[in-house]
Amino acid sequence: MSQAKIPLIELINVSKSFGTKQVLNRVNLQIYEGEVTTIIGLSGGGKSVLLKHIIGLLEQDEGTILFRGEPFNRANRSQNVFAQNEISYMFQDNALFDSMTVFDNVALPLNETTNLTKREIAEKVMARLRETELADAGYKFPSELSGGMQKRVALARALITDPKIVLFDEPTSGQDPVRKNAILGMIAQYQRKFGFTAILVSHEIPDVYFISNRILALYDKQIVFQGTPEELEKFDHPFTHEVIHSIEGLQAELTGLHSRRRFKLLYHNELKKHTHGETYTIILFSLNYSGNEPDGLNQSLAEETIQSMGRFINRRFDSVGGFSTRYMANQFVTVLPHSDTEEATDILKLFVADLEGYSVQNLLAAEGLLSADPCVEFSVMVGLAESHPSLAIEKVVLSAQEKQVKIARMVCAAQ
């Protein structure tokens, strides 16, 4: 378990004020190597200030910061990972140089800190630009790009040195829902591939949960929660009501799907009304990539397709009394109250018949979205599990997962 590890970074009773305004008050937290840790909290609540303390860009007024168990501050950071080009920072405002092209902005860390040849730098930069869908923007200036494209330039630059620790300050701010999830997916993809420690500041709840190992909740100048996303769902504190509920309500309005936390509340509230011995059925949908996992070029299209499938599922099963949620990055769960496996199977057959003939482009078009080349293809897997209200939802979902079979393949329409 994470708690048994020695923290990579630890803050002990750290406080910070700017003039008479206190921003952090005796903050305690731990960050573990090789994990994705996300700091969440209200806008203007001190998340970015906390992040800058974690890496020594700001000096604390009180308290101690430890790096691998050793005291760490701006005075001694030249002797640790900062001097070894092992840490990178993606600023909330991007911090791009307006007088430099996109290519030169991304190349800057390599030019400043490595002995790579001009050709080697160019190859690495072009690879990152392709992965972040910026290949055609290399010789443009930041002022010529949209806010979303500028965000991707900052991401490409943060990853260019293959760092061991990457800090992301609101990496998805200003992005539309599709780009937002594409960036989160890209961060998760790179983190899995290279194994760096990722520290994010984000208010994108619950989307960021899908890529996070641990959540740190900053509220009223202190860290009031540290743990997994699943543990946060059980956390009873004013933070959950003021921060999480309000943001998740907006998420439901934007996507038409219940958040995972709201889904659990519906699950318990709906099923506790049932008479003793009455059953219900879980349907677990998984969308698995046919072939390799998408790279930066088509990650956004993959996310568009997954979200569109979620709304497609929700509409079909809502009409028969079911309710659905996005359970994992590529999974959706639907609960059919008052039903057994036989009835749920009949309902599912109607869904499969409805899905037949849909290509990826058809699915996106039904949501008013446009597809683009290259295309992604998915296998649609489904599993059913019948249970009763006293059984935890996680166990029922696991049972459904063990029974999954392929019911469809979402392919690209013929060009």
Side-chain angles (χ1 to χ4, degrees):
M1 295 178 62
S2 295
Q3 287 74 11
K5 300 178 185 177
I6 297 175
L8 174 67
I9 300 169
E10 184 171 13
L11 272 63
I12 303 172
N13 295 327
V14 168
S15 297
K16 181 66 176 181
S17 297
F18 294 97
T20 59
K21 181 181 179 181
Q22 187 175 44
V23 180
L24 303 176
N25 179 26
R26 299 182 65 82
V27 165
N28 293 276
L29 63 82
Q30 297 84 38
I31 292 170
Y32 296 93
E33 195 161 8
E35 294 187 346
V36 178
T37 298
T38 300
I39 304 167
I40 61 175
L42 291 168
S43 179
K47 300 188 299 296
S48 295
V49 171
L50 178 58
L51 187 65
K52 290 172 183 175
H53 277 81
I54 289 172
I55 60 170
L57 289 178
L58 286 175
E59 189 79 31
Q60 68 271 25
D61 297 334
E62 298 177 355
T64 303
I65 300 176
L66 302 178
F67 182 83
R68 290 200 173 101
E70 297 295 326
F72 164 71
N73 53 47
R74 292 184 359 181
N76 68 9
R77 74 178 184 178
S78 61
Q79 287 140 31
N80 57 44
V81 292
F82 288 85
Q84 301 166 34
N85 202 34
E86 294 182 357
I87 194 164
S88 185
Y89 190 106
M90 180 174 164
F91 294 87
Q92 182 176 356
D93 61 359
N94 302 327
L96 301 176
F97 291 94
D98 292 334
S99 61
M100 300 171 65
T101 65
V102 167
F103 181 97
D104 290 336
N105 265 283
V106 176
L108 184 63
L110 298 178
N111 286 320
E112 294 289 328
T113 63
T114 74
N115 295 318
L116 295 176
T117 66
K118 197 170 184 179
R119 180 177 178 178
E120 289 171 331
I121 289 175
E123 289 175 351
K124 284 181 70 72
V125 171
M126 288 309 301
R128 284 293 183 266
L129 292 181
R130 285 192 296 270
E131 290 160 349
T132 49
E133 301 181 72
L134 292 164
D136 296 332
Y139 294 98
K140 292 183 178 181
F141 290 89
S143 60
E144 299 178 271
L145 305 180
S146 67
M149 292 181 73
Q150 290 180 23
K151 184 69 67 176
R152 280 179 279 145
V153 174
L155 175 61
R157 185 178 60 187
L159 298 174
I160 194 66
T161 59
D162 300 323
K164 292 187 177 179
I165 303 172
V166 185
L167 301 108
F168 301 91
D169 190 354
E170 297 284 8
T172 58
S173 64
Q175 301 290 295
D176 60 68
V178 172
R179 289 293 181 201
K180 172 187 70 177
N181 284 284
I183 289 174
L184 291 177
M186 198 178 304
I187 291 171
Q189 180 185 357
Y190 277 113
Q191 197 276 332
R192 289 194 301 268
K193 182 175 181 180
F194 300 113
F196 59 76
T197 301
I199 306 170
L200 288 79
V201 162
S202 180
H203 64 272
E204 304 292 0
I205 301 170
D207 302 82
V208 75
Y209 292 176
F210 296 127
I211 72 167
S212 303
N213 300 108
R214 296 182 77 243
I215 302 291
L216 307 182
L218 180 64
Y219 180 74
D220 194 23
K221 308 180 188 68
Q222 296 183 325
I223 294 294
V224 297
F225 171 85
Q226 299 184 69
T228 66
E230 291 76 18
E231 290 169 339
L232 181 59
E233 292 175 352
K234 304 172 186 176
F235 183 53
D236 186 16
H237 188 276
F239 169 84
T240 62
H241 302 286
E242 187 171 347
V243 181
I244 296 179
H245 291 179
S246 61
I247 297 176
E248 288 190 344
L250 176 61
Q251 170 76 12
E253 287 182 23
L254 292 174
T255 66
L257 282 172
H258 297 294
S259 71
R260 190 165 172 180
R261 180 182 177 85
R262 177 62 180 158
F263 173 82
K264 282 195 171 185
L265 291 174
L266 278 173
Y267 172 83
H268 290 296
N269 292 338
E270 177 69 26
L271 298 182
K272 73 182 181 182
K273 304 174 187 174
H274 291 194
T275 58
H276 180 70
E278 188 172 7
T279 63
Y280 68 94
T281 304
I282 284 282
I283 305 178
L284 175 66
F285 297 89
S286 296
L287 275 69
N288 299 326
Y289 301 120
S290 296
N292 295 328
E293 191 167 318
D295 57 20
L297 285 172
N298 51 11
Q299 178 70 49
S300 60
L301 180 61
E303 180 59 35
E304 279 183 344
T305 306
I306 292 173
Q307 288 196 10
S308 295
M309 177 61 80
R311 289 188 284 268
F312 185 90
I313 291 168
N314 189 59
R315 284 197 304 271
R316 269 57 179 182
F317 288 94
D318 180 68
S319 65
V320 293
F323 52 94
S324 307
T325 189
R326 188 171 179 176
Y327 194 76
M328 297 289 287
N330 68 325
Q331 291 184 335
F332 298 91
V333 168
T334 295
V335 172
L336 291 175
H338 317 286
S339 67
D340 55 21
T341 303
E342 182 178 356
E343 181 181 21
T345 300
D346 289 339
I347 295 173
L348 183 59
K349 286 178 181 177
L350 295 174
F351 172 84
V352 174
D354 197 13
L355 186 62
E356 285 180 359
Y358 270 89
S359 67
V360 169
Q361 284 89 343
N362 295 149
L363 187 67
L364 295 174
E367 299 295 330
L369 300 170
L370 297 176
S371 61
D373 293 325
C375 188
V376 292
E377 299 185 354
F378 293 91
S379 295
V380 183
M381 310 289 292
V382 168
L384 284 76
E386 182 181 311
S387 192
H388 51 83
S390 62
L391 193 60
I393 182 82
E394 291 83 2
K395 292 184 178 179
V396 190
V397 171
L398 181 60
S399 177
Q401 186 167 0
E402 292 170 349
K403 301 171 185 175
Q404 279 193 320
V405 296
K406 188 164 98 172
I407 61 164
R409 187 161 176 257
M410 298 297 300
V411 299
C412 301
Q415 301 297 314

